[in-house]
Every structure is written in structure tokens, then in C-alpha cells.
Amino acid sequence: MKIEFSKKEIYLKDIKNVEKVIKSGWLTHGVFTKKFEDEFTKFTNSKYCLTVSSCTAGLHLSCIAAGFKKGDEVIVPAMTHVATAHAVELTGAKAIIADVDYISGNLNLENIKKKLTKKTKGIILVHMAGIACKLDDIIKLSKKLKLTLIEDCAHGLGTMYQNKHVGNFGITGCFSFYPTKQITTGEGGAIVTNDIKIYKKIKRIKAFGIDKDIKNRKIPGDYDVKSLGLNYRLTDFQAALGYNQIKNYSRNLFLRKKNAKRYSEKLKKIKFVDFPEFDDSNSYFVFQILSKYRNKIIKKFKKLGIGFSIHYLKSINQMTYYKVKNNIKKYEYKNTNKYSRNVISLPVYPKLKNKEIDFICKSINETINE
Ligand SMILES: Cc1ncc(COP(=O)(O)O)c(C=O)c1O
């Protein structure tokens, strides 16, 4: 039985939308970009949305909008994609790597507090594998110390915290549409915000610093530039690919949760496998388990053709750039290092069949008991 790690929810009508855009000749900042952004704000219940070329671009723009600069420190979790830390470093500020909670993989108040200094200007939170960070305490601390909070929601499409979609707690929330994510546009991302000033600032920087939308220009080139900017736009055919996926995402999310529930019920009977308890507010980007038998399990998966991933085999504190620059000592990151040794991401996508979940769980059980 071959089981893929990820399967897309892309249908003929999505391909037709892409075709429509390509045939129209209007390939960027067009109709579908607006339609996609509108659907995204609707789904996340945010005021504003801006599509971007990737989540990395979104995080970089957010860090620029936050005003992070040389001499500033921004706390990021050790257990994340390098993009989270890179976004900080690209502004000239320093990414300060903090240890995470062992089971959820998330930053928590205690580990943030250990890294606070007079230079701390912000925190980037990652909702690992779709599990919301414990935001209440972190927001309270940020307010008290006037720290800027940014949410890396690359795994968090559909993740709720106290009935509010993640991404609505920081100055921005940045989402990823990389192919393995819950919805995909190939490469791509979106930023949500509820702050009009941040929205306008990011909108300008995202497109060269230009002060006028294409539809408001009287003649080509009718715009001014008063500040620096980048080109981090998503194409209109990518937005066309994502449009139905976000419009129909509730069904995708429902099926992910159904699959996660089945995993939880089967896996809780297996010794030496840990995972966070089933939670309806988790969006289940993947179903992560932790086991000291990880390497044995993935060897078996490879033999059986079971797709899996590891988020993340090498955490930020183990990456040479950060290890050398921050003079990192291995013992500082006890939880993160254990997590990276033990974690496996199992597939949980809507098209995954019950018998496939059962087969994966059975294989894990047999491998541990071999
Ligand atoms: C937590 C996290 N942040 C940021 C990113 C970067 O996303 P993108 O590939 O869209 O730039 C990823 C990528 O997978 C991620 O997992």
C-alpha cells in the first residue's frame, strides 16, 4: 500500500480558473488576487489580507513594518522553519532563539521570559503543526513590555484560539501556500492584519514602494515612490489556483480533523508514542507524533511506502548560521533537541482513507514491538 505524504485539493474548476487568467493576458495583480484576498479575510475573519509570493516574504514584510532594525532583538522558537528567524535577520535585527514546549513544539511564556533583554523588540510565534500557542499569557507580556507580536501561521490555516482565527492576535499573521500546506498555489502566501496602517505600509513595500494601485493610474507609470520596497507579489494565476481551495476550505478542515481523531483513537493505545490530545481548534496541517523509536519507524515507513515528513529534523539552534552567530550551546535547547530527535509528521489530508490511517497506526505499533 503506497501512501503519499500530501495530496492536493485541486480540481478541474481550479485549472480552468488558471487557464482563464492565462488566456486573459492579465497575469498579475488582477481579478483573482482580489477575489482570493476577499475569501481569505472572510475565512480568517480578519479585516485585511494581502497575497504575497511566499510566507517568508510575508514574514519579512511584517518585520520591516514592525520597524525591527540593527540593535534590536526578536524572540523566535527554535523549533521552526528557518524562514521565521531569517525574516528577522534580514532586517538587521537579531533573531533570539528560544526553546519550546516538548509536546506541542510551541513557544511558551517561560521560555520567552528566559530570553528577554533590554533590546527585545518583538516575538514571532509559530503555531506548530496547527496547534495554537497559549496566546493569552504571551499577549499580556507583549503589552506590558511593548513588544511587537507577529504570528507565523504557515501551519495554521483553520487554527482557532478562543474562537478567533490565529493571525488576528499579532500585528500580522503570515500564511504559506507551499505545496504540502493545507491549500497551495505552488509557492505563495498571505498576510492578514486588522490594522489599516500596517496594511497600507505592507501593501506599499510589497510592490516597490509604489504609492498607487494599477487601477488608479491614469497612464502607465503614473505613480510615485517615497520609500524603499520589494517585489513580493503573488501572480494572478496562482491566486486563481488558490481561490476555490480557500472558498471550500471548511470541508478540507473538517476532514483533516476527522482523520486526526481517528489517529488519536488508534495511537493512544500504543506505548512510546506521544502526541497532543485531539483538539477541535487545531487545524492539523500534519499529525505529529513523538517517539523514541522515530528512526526505526521511519525506516519501516520507507520500506512500506508510507509518506511522512519531519518538522523539523534540524531545528534553528542546530543550523550552522545560527549556531555560529549566536554561539549556541547544545544543552540550552533540551526540549527542542529531543523534539527534533523524536518527531514524525504523518499525513492527515482530506483524501487520506480510513484504511490508510489504520495501516499507518498498525505499522507504528508493529515496529515498536518488533
Ligand atoms: C513555520 C514555517 N514558517 C515559514 C515557512 C516558509 O513558508 P514559505 O515556503 O511559504 O516561504 C514555512 C515553510 O514551510 C514554515 O513551515
Side-chain angles (χ1 to χ4, degrees):
M1 188 187 290
K2 180 158 171 43
I3 305 172
E4 285 168 57
F5 171 64
S6 93
K7 265 190 194 167
K8 326 279 166 273
E9 292 288 299
I10 293 174
Y11 300 97
L12 194 60
K13 60 184 177 186
D14 308 310
I15 296 165
K16 286 230 164 88
N17 281 340
V18 174
E19 192 182 347
K20 220 189 281 175
V21 173
I22 292 170
K23 283 187 174 161
S24 79
W26 194 279
L27 303 192
T28 194
H29 45 54
V31 179
F32 270 101
T33 302
K34 171 83 173 75
K35 279 165 74 118
F36 182 89
E37 287 172 350
D38 286 349
E39 280 304 319
F40 209 84
T41 48
K42 223 192 276 175
F43 185 80
T44 55
N45 209 7
S46 317
K47 279 196 187 144
Y48 311 103
C49 170
L50 287 161
T51 51
V52 277
S53 52
S54 66
C55 180
T56 309
L59 290 166
H60 187 202
L61 288 166
S62 302
C63 289
I64 296 171
F68 298 152
K69 57 181 188 318
K70 199 169 184 318
D72 295 343
E73 291 183 354
V74 180
I75 298 172
V76 302
M79 184 43 69
T80 182
H81 190 283
V82 281
T84 319
H86 279 1
V88 174
E89 296 270 322
L90 284 167
T91 66
K94 187 173 179 184
I96 301 295
I97 322 293
D99 203 8
V100 297
D101 174 71
Y102 176 63
I103 295 289
S104 71
N106 281 338
L107 262 185
N108 56 29
L109 192 66
E110 187 193 337
N111 289 321
I112 290 172
K113 278 184 172 170
K114 282 184 196 158
K115 294 291 177 186
L116 288 171
T117 71
K118 282 197 177 121
K119 293 182 185 169
T120 311
K121 288 290 177 317
I123 304 167
I124 306 188
L125 294 175
V126 176
H127 306 293
M128 190 65 188
I131 304 169
C133 295
K134 292 205 170 92
L135 284 151
D136 262 1
D137 294 343
I138 300 171
I139 290 170
K140 227 182 271 168
L141 180 84
S142 308
K143 280 193 178 146
K144 191 173 147 205
L145 301 178
K146 294 195 170 63
L147 305 179
T148 304
L149 202 63
I150 293 170
E151 293 177 76
D152 179 338
C153 302
H155 303 175
L157 185 57
T159 299
M160 306 297 282
Y161 181 76
Q162 294 175 356
N163 297 320
K164 197 164 152 184
H165 200 291
V166 294
N168 288 309
F169 297 89
I171 59 156
T172 62
C174 305
F175 294 81
S176 171
F177 309 138
Y178 181 75
T180 54
K181 297 297 188 320
Q182 292 98 319
I183 70 168
T184 185
T185 58
E187 297 286 354
I191 304 171
V192 298
T193 182
N194 295 303
D195 181 331
I196 183 78
K197 279 195 194 140
I198 295 285
Y199 169 75
K200 283 188 176 166
K201 196 169 177 183
I202 290 181
K203 190 172 180 197
R204 207 174 55 238
I205 306 167
K206 160 190 154 173
F208 315 104
I210 284 172
D211 68 348
K212 214 181 267 178
D213 271 356
I214 198 153
K215 60 179 186 306
N216 297 328
R217 296 177 206 162
K218 288 191 197 91
I219 51 169
D222 169 32
Y223 57 76
D224 191 17
V225 169
K226 298 184 190 85
S227 58
L228 282 175
L230 297 146
N231 180 0
Y232 276 167
R233 287 187 299 233
L234 188 77
T235 65
D236 213 49
F237 49 91
Q238 285 174 294
L241 186 62
Y243 174 65
N244 280 315
Q245 291 180 69
I246 186 65
K247 218 172 161 198
N248 301 316
Y249 186 62
S250 298
R251 183 185 159 275
N252 179 327
L253 188 60
F254 171 80
L255 293 169
R256 282 176 184 277
K257 289 182 190 178
K258 180 180 115 348
N259 290 341
K261 205 165 198 172
R262 191 172 186 94
Y263 269 125
S264 304
E265 276 155 18
K266 302 255 158 198
L267 292 172
K268 72 179 174 212
K269 297 176 193 143
I270 306 175
K271 240 177 151 184
F272 306 117
V273 173
D274 292 316
F275 54 91
E277 218 174 287
F278 177 81
D279 182 351
D280 196 53
S281 61
N282 182 342
S283 63
Y284 291 101
F285 156 52
V286 287
F287 191 92
Q288 284 196 318
I289 58 165
L290 298 153
S291 174
K292 64 175 177 178
Y293 294 108
R294 195 269 307 277
N295 290 346
K296 207 171 149 192
I297 295 168
I298 63 175
K299 209 164 146 196
K300 186 60 156 287
F301 278 2
K302 277 190 179 167
K303 203 166 130 202
L304 296 172
I306 297 172
F308 65 92
S309 190
I310 299 174
H311 300 89
Y312 294 91
L313 185 67
K314 269 181 111 172
S315 47
I316 305 281
N317 58 304
Q318 298 176 51
M319 296 288 182
T320 304
Y321 175 83
Y322 292 99
K323 208 161 71 178
V324 173
K325 191 166 178 276
N326 293 12
N327 191 20
I328 283 174
K329 314 267 181 301
K330 206 171 173 189
Y331 63 78
E332 270 189 71
Y333 296 91
K334 227 171 91 211
N335 289 346
T336 302
N337 293 338
K338 188 171 167 197
Y339 194 96
S340 71
R341 273 197 310 276
N342 292 353
V343 70
I344 316 177
S345 300
L346 305 176
V348 71
Y349 49 80
K351 285 178 180 143
L352 193 70
K353 299 185 183 88
N354 283 346
K355 65 175 183 196
E356 292 175 319
I357 296 174
D358 298 352
F359 180 68
I360 293 170
C361 296
K362 189 166 147 270
S363 312
I364 294 170
N365 192 24
E366 282 172 5
T367 311
I368 288 175
N369 290 303
E370 258 166 19

